[in-house]
Amino acid sequence: MYRKLIPAFCLSLLMASLIPTANAAVSQAQANRLGNSLTPTGAVRAGNSEGTIPRWNGEAIDIPDAYDGTGDHHIDPYPEDEPRYVVTVDNLEDYRDVVPDGAAAMLEAYPDTFRMRVFPTRRNHTVPEHVAENTRDNATSASLVDGGNGVQDAFGGHPFPILHGSSEEKAMQAMWNHITRWRGRYTEREFAEVVVVQGQFRPITMRQEVFFNWNREGGSAETLDNIINYYLSTVLAPEQYAGGGILVHETLDQVKEPRKAWGFSAGEVRRAPSLAYDAPIASSGNLRTVDDTDVFNGALDRYNWEYQGLHEKLIPYNNYELSSDQYRYDEVLGDHHLNPALTRWELHRVHVVEATLREDARHLYHKRVFYIDEDSWNIALADQYDDEGNLWRVSKAMLNKCYDMPGVWIDIAAYHDLKVRRYHVQGLVNETDGSRVFRDEFPGKRYFSPFTLRRRLSE
């Protein structure tokens, strides 16, 4: 009897190994590193051996006395910091190992004006305790599903604080950590976006409201209903476009259920089925695709993914001056890029992820390389390549510690096209009344329904 059972048992093990399954979560012993040798969000707590990246200590920054509270312009908490060095095209080779390829390409494209002022590294990202707690729980339960196009058994924190599995799985996990990263529960702001052509631009002023269903108080993985967030953007100016906008229900698995989107104007609300992948954004002068927004968003299914490890790179960080109301838009915006005299770069460890277009898929970008901040999981930089392997577009996320969220998030995003030598900027607030407003309460899901939107537009 035992002789018969042993071959059958071995065969069942072999068959089980051939069945594709979702990647398993990490063990409890591994998850216990969170908050100890790792930060609560999975970054290496220790600094580097040279001392140029400090140890993460979890301390809150000293909020400037002049800051009035949520919704006010963020004030630089590090006014005494001075640049350690400045990278130019002339000394690029001295720092080439820490300069991302896209930044190097910009130094070479604009040698007379572009430079990188490198400041002391400030690892100031923190999250509320409920996010840290959910992240610990997710570490031992979350898994990729549907070939990496979805996540299951996770909620309210990073699903994969400790990357594990194959190179492809690690890459996808890192991207999902960016997509679901902590950005508060409900936020709203007014901002301007521009297309800059030889220094000329015309601002489009928007009002943005986002409810992050992923972080909903009292929610769970079971109550998500495949919705990560609800997004509403309305044009305020110029007058001929005012009142139009877009409503989005962002889905967790966009292959299983594509994002739902509606465009609206002049009292009409219509479905926008093509709002995905490389569809161009008109207000960006076609310099930004739909999945460029937030540096990356949406489904992962058109690319093959590869994790290239944790590297030390210069990335934009703590860029408070770029969002300051002490400057006007024409002082922030240069002919071909943001004003480098107002831009701050720091040395941080980043997860480098490469995406290569699948042979059976189409997209404007043949290859994309993402540099993901280890502390906050924000994509700080992205390099996009054309079909011939040439570096074509460079996306930069100007990260700031939003001390009323609290946490690090993108304030301004800049999208550079090296071929046409134009760029697009989203998130300018210098000439608005303030920065983002963060609230735990939100108007309710009905507020973000197309039916409610139609009723509001008709009033």
Side-chain angles (χ1 to χ4, degrees), residues 37 67 71 95 240 259 292 303:
S37 62
Y67 180 68
Y95 301 101
Q240 63 263 41
R259 68 162 55 99
D292 274 332
Y303 288 90

Side-chain angles (χ1 to χ4, degrees), residues 54-74:
R55 178 181 176 83
W56 183 89
N57 57 25
E59 293 180 5
I61 62 176
D62 293 328
I63 300 176
D65 293 336
Y67 180 68
D68 290 337
T70 185
D72 192 18
H73 285 92
H74 289 121

Side-chain angles (χ1 to χ4, degrees), residues 138 141 151-156 214 219-226 252:
N138 292 342
S141 63
V151 176
Q152 68 181 8
D153 299 325
F155 177 80
W214 181 264
S220 66
E222 290 72 30
T223 61
L224 276 174
D225 196 26
N226 202 35
L252 182 62

Side-chain angles (χ1 to χ4, degrees), residues 224-235:
L224 276 174
D225 196 26
N226 202 35
I227 301 293
I228 303 175
N229 59 59
Y230 298 87
Y231 174 92
L232 179 62
S233 180
T234 307
V235 178

Side-chain angles (χ1 to χ4, degrees), residues 21 25-26 49 109 116 122 145 386:
T21 59
V26 302
S49 58
M116 301 166 69
R122 302 283 190 171
V145 295
D386 63 19

Side-chain angles (χ1 to χ4, degrees), residues 153-298:
D153 299 325
F155 177 80
H158 300 293
F160 307 107
I162 301 173
L163 304 182
H164 57 281
S166 67
S167 172
E168 181 183 42
E169 289 170 333
K170 288 179 181 178
M172 289 181 166
Q173 290 165 11
M175 297 303 290
W176 276 110
N177 285 341
H178 165 79
I179 292 169
T180 61
R181 69 199 187 281
W182 166 247
R183 287 165 285 177
R185 284 183 166 139
Y186 176 71
T187 182
E188 54 185 317
R189 68 166 174 166
E190 289 184 15
F191 66 90
E193 57 180 48
V194 297
V195 177
V196 184
V197 182
Q198 295 293 331
Q200 302 299 309
F201 60 89
R202 185 184 185 190
I204 298 175
T205 305
M206 319 281 290
R207 174 178 172 80
Q208 179 190 79
E209 301 168 78
V210 190
F211 166 52
F212 295 100
N213 193 44
W214 181 264
N215 297 314
R216 180 163 57 92
E217 187 172 9
S220 66
E222 290 72 30
T223 61
L224 276 174
D225 196 26
N226 202 35
I227 301 293
I228 303 175
N229 59 59
Y230 298 87
Y231 174 92
L232 179 62
S233 180
T234 307
V235 178
L236 302 179
E239 186 176 353
Q240 63 263 41
Y241 303 123
I246 192 80
L247 170 67
V248 177
H249 294 181
E250 188 75 359
T251 52
L252 182 62
D253 184 339
Q254 295 196 6
V255 174
K256 176 182 177 182
E257 181 184 12
R259 68 162 55 99
K260 301 172 185 176
W262 297 263
F264 58 90
S265 63
E268 293 187 358
V269 180
R270 296 182 178 180
R271 284 296 297 264
S274 61
L275 197 72
Y277 299 110
D278 58 353
I281 301 294
S283 61
S284 75
N286 296 336
L287 299 177
R288 170 167 58 97
T289 64
V290 168
D291 62 5
D292 274 332
T293 304
D294 200 30
V295 194
F296 181 83
N297 74 91

Side-chain angles (χ1 to χ4, degrees), residues 1-12:
M1 176 180 178
Y2 289 110
R3 291 194 190 98
K4 293 179 181 179
L5 285 175
I6 290 173
F9 178 67
C10 292
L11 180 61
S12 67

